[in-house]
Amino acid sequence: MSFDEIIDRRGTHCVKWDKMEALYGVSPDEGIAMWVADMEFRPPACVQDALQAMLDHGVYGYFGDESAYLAAICWWMENRHGWRVDPAAIFTTHGLVNGTAMCVDAFTAPGDGVVLFTPVYHAFARVIRAAGRDVVQCAMPVVDGQYTLDFDAWDAQMKGHEKMLVLCSPHNPGGRVWTRAELAGVAAFAKRHDLILVSDEIHHDLVMPGQVHTPMALIEGIADRLVMMTAATKTFNIAGAHVGNVIIHDAGLRAKFAGRMAALGLSPNSFGLFMVTAAYSPEGAAWVDRVCAYLAENARIFDEGINAIPGLRSMALQSTYLAWVDFAGTGMGREEFTARVEKGAKIAVNHGPSFGLGGDSYLRFNIAAPRSVITDAVARMQAAFADLQ
Ligand SMILES: Cc1ncc(COP(=O)(O)O)c(C=O)c1O
């Protein structure tokens, strides 16, 4: 299987291509979908084979005995991330947006503050607000072209009603792989302000060569307030399976979370469980190594082409396939640079303000696509901003 293959997703009920015209006015026939965070690639053969085996058997009844599924998760976390997980600590949610919402529901009350380091993945604020909680935005400064954590400023900002912090690690949209020292700082901040720390690590497998992700669970002294969230869906491009792992080692937090799961009658979908079990395997691991190398070269080509346009700056990615491009240097207003990208280049992207404070001058481009799509996108962008060159 080659990541260079163009797979036509139009007409498959795929949100990225099939909703593009309605939401952006960009026709999928002539435009490029670079918004929703999924990849234009098929998952590894081991995942396809697991699904095929289900189809061949053909009876889709209730699932029982999750032991192989839980063992696969534990194997993955230990082998890929050096983190030993107790299978009894794993909850399967309907993905990690659901996992975040479940944490908000289980560990906070209406009116409580939930802290986000912004700009950050937009769905966090959406589910927090929808649950009647207060989104407390702590804006991250950009230092030497990368997001950093400013605990002194944020200590002064806390009002006392904050009960939870949702961290994105690695960071979407900045692509940061937080260092151990930074993670220890986050843990200390959570303790200082008595916050439950929810660490969303959905992007943990997709790191650039040379980068090492540290699970928050490896940071000392945080286990009694920590909720870890991981998933195979981003890593293996199976987001439609809607399965996520919420992993809680603290018995008290686990009992609270289990109570909410039971009250809502949540149980997982068998398709997702089969796919995840197959993905978290040596064959899956080899595929992830290949996809990371491919994405790194995409990022290099994209950044080189975008940074050659005066006034544009693509943040260097340490992780994720989501390029975060700052247009501030063009001196253009948001409407103008966005129109040039969407109407001029015909590329559908995510808009910076939806990621919260600090996102205004940015657009997010998904570069998990065949190489020829990336070079086409760069050429379109250079043409759309040709007058600046
Ligand atoms: C940080 C983060 N969390 C969660 C999600 C979505 O998770 P799910 O599809 O499991 O709901 C995304 C998708 O882009 C993400 O970037």
Side-chain angles (χ1 to χ4, degrees):
M1 179 186 44
S2 164
F3 299 122
D4 287 333
E5 182 186 345
I6 304 263
I7 302 171
D8 187 358
R9 297 176 68 190
R10 291 170 300 169
T12 63
H13 295 281
C14 113
V15 64
K16 195 183 192 178
W17 290 91
D18 289 339
K19 296 285 271 187
M20 175 160 94
E21 182 134 40
L23 293 175
Y24 290 94
V26 178
S27 158
D29 300 330
E30 45 179 13
I32 308 178
M34 300 183 87
W35 56 305
V36 176
D38 63 25
M39 305 196 267
E40 298 299 299
F41 311 137
R42 292 195 181 90
C46 54
V47 173
Q48 303 285 47
D49 292 346
L51 274 180
Q52 192 60 54
M54 286 183 82
L55 290 179
D56 290 345
H57 184 264
V59 180
Y60 309 112
Y62 289 111
F63 190 90
D65 187 4
E66 292 178 7
S67 53
Y69 162 77
L70 295 173
I73 295 173
C74 293
W75 180 84
W76 189 263
M77 298 311 157
E78 184 156 9
N79 281 275
R80 299 291 289 189
H81 298 289
W83 172 35
R84 190 165 283 191
V85 171
D86 175 358
I90 302 172
F91 295 92
T92 303
T93 58
H94 187 68
L96 292 191
V97 174
N98 175 236
T100 308
M102 290 285 304
C103 288
V104 169
D105 186 49
F107 304 125
T108 70
D112 284 348
V114 180
V115 178
L116 299 178
F117 299 159
T118 67
V120 75
Y121 176 50
H122 39 72
F124 291 160
R126 195 180 70 222
V127 297
I128 294 164
R129 288 201 181 102
R133 275 63 162 176
D134 183 26
V135 176
V136 178
Q137 301 192 55
C138 293
M140 291 187 291
V142 177
V143 177
D144 295 333
Q146 300 264 271
Y147 283 115
T148 55
L149 306 170
D150 187 358
F151 298 115
D152 289 341
W154 301 340
D155 281 341
Q157 204 186 315
M158 293 299 107
K159 294 200 191 108
H161 73 314
E162 301 82 4
K163 294 287 183 305
M164 179 184 285
L165 161 64
V166 183
L167 176 73
C168 193
S169 175
H171 184 70
N172 167 15
R176 278 298 315 278
V177 170
W178 304 113
T179 63
R180 262 181 191 262
E182 285 171 319
L183 294 173
V186 174
F189 178 83
K191 275 198 227 173
R192 234 174 7 257
H193 299 285
D194 196 16
L195 307 173
I196 302 285
L197 174 53
V198 176
S199 191
D200 179 332
E201 306 193 4
I202 198 167
H203 297 281
H204 63 168
D205 292 310
L206 301 175
V207 297
M208 293 291 157
Q211 294 290 333
V212 178
H213 165 81
T214 304
M216 182 56 93
L218 297 187
I219 301 301
E220 264 180 38
I222 193 68
D224 62 341
R225 59 179 69 245
L226 179 63
V227 175
M228 291 286 291
M229 301 201 304
T230 69
T233 50
K234 204 62 69 181
T235 309
F236 292 96
N237 202 33
I238 52 172
H242 267 298
V243 272
N245 315 310
V246 174
I247 304 176
I248 311 177
H249 279 106
D250 178 80
L253 294 179
R254 194 160 68 226
K256 270 195 187 160
F257 196 87
R260 293 309 297 154
M261 291 281 289
L264 295 171
L266 287 177
S267 59
N269 177 312
S270 60
F271 288 89
L273 299 187
F274 274 104
M275 282 197 265
V276 171
T277 309
Y280 282 157
S281 62
E283 192 181 339
W287 184 90
V288 172
D289 291 341
R290 286 209 301 124
V291 87
C292 284
Y294 194 87
L295 293 173
E297 181 60 7
N298 276 8
R300 193 194 63 73
I301 291 167
F302 184 83
D303 286 358
E304 193 175 280
I306 295 301
N307 291 338
I309 304 170
L312 271 62
R313 175 83 11 218
S314 180
M315 212 171 251
L317 291 179
Q318 297 174 336
S319 173
T320 84
Y321 48 73
L322 303 164
W324 187 235
V325 180
D326 189 4
F327 290 76
T330 62
M332 293 175 193
R334 205 160 60 74
E335 288 72 21
E336 181 174 357
F337 67 73
T338 307
R340 284 184 183 223
V341 173
E342 289 172 359
K343 296 195 169 50
K346 297 194 188 331
I347 300 176
V349 289
N350 287 92
H351 297 180
S354 67
F355 295 81
L357 272 184
D360 273 14
S361 61
Y362 289 82
L363 296 174
R364 195 191 73 175
F365 293 71
N366 179 338
I367 56 162
R371 187 81 27 88
S372 59
V373 175
I374 303 305
T375 52
D376 182 12
V378 167
R380 287 169 184 237
M381 287 291 290
Q382 290 184 340
F385 291 88
D387 55 323
L388 302 184
Q389 320 243 8

